[in-house]
Amino acid sequence: MELSVIILLCTFFVLLILNVPISFSIGIATLATMLYTIDFIPAIVTVAQRMTGGINSFALLAIPFFIFSGLIMGQGGIAKRLIECAMALIGMLPGGLSLVNVLSCTLFGGISGSAVAATSAIGSFMIPEMENKGYDRNFAAAVTATAATTGMIIPPSNILIIYAIASGGVSISALFIAGYLPGILLALALMSVCVYTAKKNNFPTEPALPCRVIIKTVAQAIPSLLLIFIVIGGIVGGLFTATEAGVIAVVYSLFLSVFIYKEVKVSELPDLLLKAAGITAIVMFLIAASSAMSWILSYENIPETITEIMLGLSENPLIILLIINIILIIVGAFMDMTPAVLIFTPIFLPVAESIDVSPIHFGIMMVLNLSIGLCSPPVGSVLFVSCSVAKTSIEKIIRPMMPLYLAMIIVLMLVTFIPTISEWLPRTMGLMK
C-alpha cells in the first residue's frame, strides 16, 4: 500500500514539475498506480470506469449552463450596468473606484459564478479606468484579482456544486445560502483595505451624482440583479433544482443580452456556445480525472490513515482546522480548485466530521481557502488573467496585493473558527439541522 501511494504522489508531482497539464498529471498518476496494483487491461478499464462514473451525475449538468450564462453576461452588457450601478452608489467614497471594482466583481461573480469571468469582464473596464483616474495600475490589478474570488463563495457557484458531489450529497441549496455571509464579509474586508490604501496614497474620489441619476442607474441594473433572486429564490423555494436553475440562468441572460440590452447578436451565439463547450470539456475532464484519483486514494485507505494521524497530533479541533487550512493554502497555490476539491474533500471531510464540523461549514471553509489560491502564484488562474488585462507582471502586483491577501486570510480564520457565519442563514431557512 505504501509503495502505491509513493508512486501516485511522485508521478503526479514530477509531471507537474514538467509542466504537464494538471488534468493529465492526475490521470497519468492514477493510471500508473493502478498498473502497479493490478494488470494492464483491468487497470485501464478500472480507471476508465471511475472517470466515467465521476461525471455521471445529474447535478453536474448545471455547470455547462452556468458557464454559458456567464459568457453571455460578460458580453451582453450586464457587467457594464453593474459597474455603473456600483459607481452611482459608492463611487464618491474614499478610494471610490477601488470600492466600485470590489462591489462590481462581487455582484458579477454572484451572477455568473465564475471568478475568471468576473476578472475579465470587470477588470477590462475598471483597471484602465482606475489607472486613468490616478490609481496605480498594479493596485488596480490586485484589487480585481482578489475581489473576483468572491464569486466562488456567493452563489450560483460551480465549485460549490462540485463540492456537494465530492462530499457525498450535501445539499446544494444549503451550500448556496451558506456562502452569502462569508462572501459579503470577504467583500467588506477587501473594501476596508481599499479605503485604507486610498487614504494612505491620496487616491482620488468620484463626485457624488444627483439622486435622479442614481435612481436611473440603479433601475437600469435591476434586471441584471434580478437573476440572483430568480435563481437562488427558485432553488431555495423548491421551484427547481440547481441544474434547472442553470437553464433558467441561460434563458434569462439571453433575454436580457439579446432583446433588452441588445449587446449580443444572434449570430454571435454559435461562437459563445463553442467557447462554453471548450471550457466545459476542460472542467469535466478535470472532474473525471480527479474522481479516479479520489477513488484510488480511498481504495488505499488514505482518508482513514490521515484522519488517524491528524487526530493523533492533537485533540484540539482548532489546531486540527488550522492544520487543514495551512495544507489547503499550500495546495491552492499549486493546484486548480476543481481537482483540489475533488481530491481533498474525501480526505479532510472525515477529519472535520470527527471533530463535529458540519459538511456545510467545512465546504464553505474549503472553498474560501482555495479561493485564495486563485490569486496566488504560481498557478493562480485569476492572477494571470488580471495581469494580462492590466498588462503587468505577477512580480509587480504582489506587493500591493499583500494587504488584500491578509484581509482574505483574516476572513478565512473567522469563517473557520466561527461556524455561525456560514451556518446561520441555512439554519434559519430550515436547510440544515
Side-chain angles (χ1 to χ4, degrees), residues 27 80 82 84 95 103 153 170 178 207 222 262 264 278 291 331 366 383 389 398 408:
K80 174 185 173 184
L82 292 177
E84 291 173 349
L103 182 57
I153 305 296
V170 172
I222 286 176
K262 298 181 180 179
V264 172
S291 298
V331 167
M366 185 180 201
L383 183 65
V389 171
I398 290 299
M408 296 179 79

Side-chain angles (χ1 to χ4, degrees), residues 163-172 175:
Y163 169 79
I165 294 169
S167 64
V170 172
S171 168
I172 295 177
L175 279 171

Side-chain angles (χ1 to χ4, degrees), residues 116-169:
V116 173
T119 305
S120 178
I122 304 298
S124 59
F125 178 86
M126 287 304 307
I127 293 175
E129 184 71 11
M130 289 177 68
E131 187 178 12
N132 290 338
K133 293 296 178 66
Y135 289 77
D136 178 66
R137 179 196 302 180
N138 298 311
F139 172 70
V143 170
T144 304
T146 50
T149 62
T150 56
M152 298 291 94
I153 305 296
I154 297 177
S157 169
N158 290 335
I159 199 65
L160 289 178
I161 296 173
I162 292 171
Y163 169 79
I165 294 169
S167 64

Side-chain angles (χ1 to χ4, degrees), residues 179-322:
Y180 273 113
L181 287 183
I184 292 171
L185 184 61
L186 176 59
L188 291 175
L190 295 176
M191 285 181 171
S192 300
V193 175
C194 290
V195 171
Y196 171 79
T197 305
K199 289 183 176 180
K200 180 181 177 182
N201 295 282
N202 294 317
F203 289 149
T205 58
E206 297 299 300
L209 298 176
C211 286
R212 58 182 179 81
V213 176
I214 294 176
I215 293 172
K216 180 181 177 181
T217 304
V218 173
Q220 290 176 340
I222 286 176
S224 301
L225 295 172
L226 273 177
L227 181 60
I228 299 176
F229 297 98
I230 292 172
V231 171
I232 303 304
I235 294 175
V236 174
L239 298 177
F240 39 75
T241 65
T243 302
E244 292 162 346
V247 178
I248 291 171
V250 170
V251 173
Y252 188 77
S253 57
L254 273 174
F255 176 74
L256 280 185
S257 302
V258 176
F259 298 106
I260 303 300
Y261 298 151
K262 298 181 180 179
E263 298 200 22
V264 172
K265 298 178 181 178
V266 176
S267 60
E268 296 173 335
L269 293 180
D271 289 336
L272 288 174
L273 279 167
L274 186 62
K275 188 174 182 180
I279 297 172
T280 300
I282 294 170
V283 172
M284 289 301 181
F285 189 74
L286 266 173
I287 293 173
S290 301
S291 298
M293 179 177 277
S294 297
W295 179 83
I296 195 68
L297 289 171
S298 177
Y299 180 79
E300 297 291 349
N301 295 317
I302 301 302
E304 292 82 357
T305 303
I306 291 179
T307 300
E308 292 175 4
I309 292 173
M310 296 191 72
L311 293 177
L313 291 174
S314 174
E315 294 182 358
N316 189 331
L318 301 183
I319 298 298
I320 294 174
L321 287 175
L322 184 62

Side-chain angles (χ1 to χ4, degrees), residues 351-376:
V351 179
E353 289 181 320
S354 69
I355 54 174
D356 296 324
V357 173
S358 73
I360 299 291
H361 174 208
F362 179 77
I364 299 299
M365 181 196 88
M366 185 180 201
V367 171
L368 179 56
N369 186 309
L370 294 173
S371 294
I372 298 174
L374 290 176
C375 49
S376 302

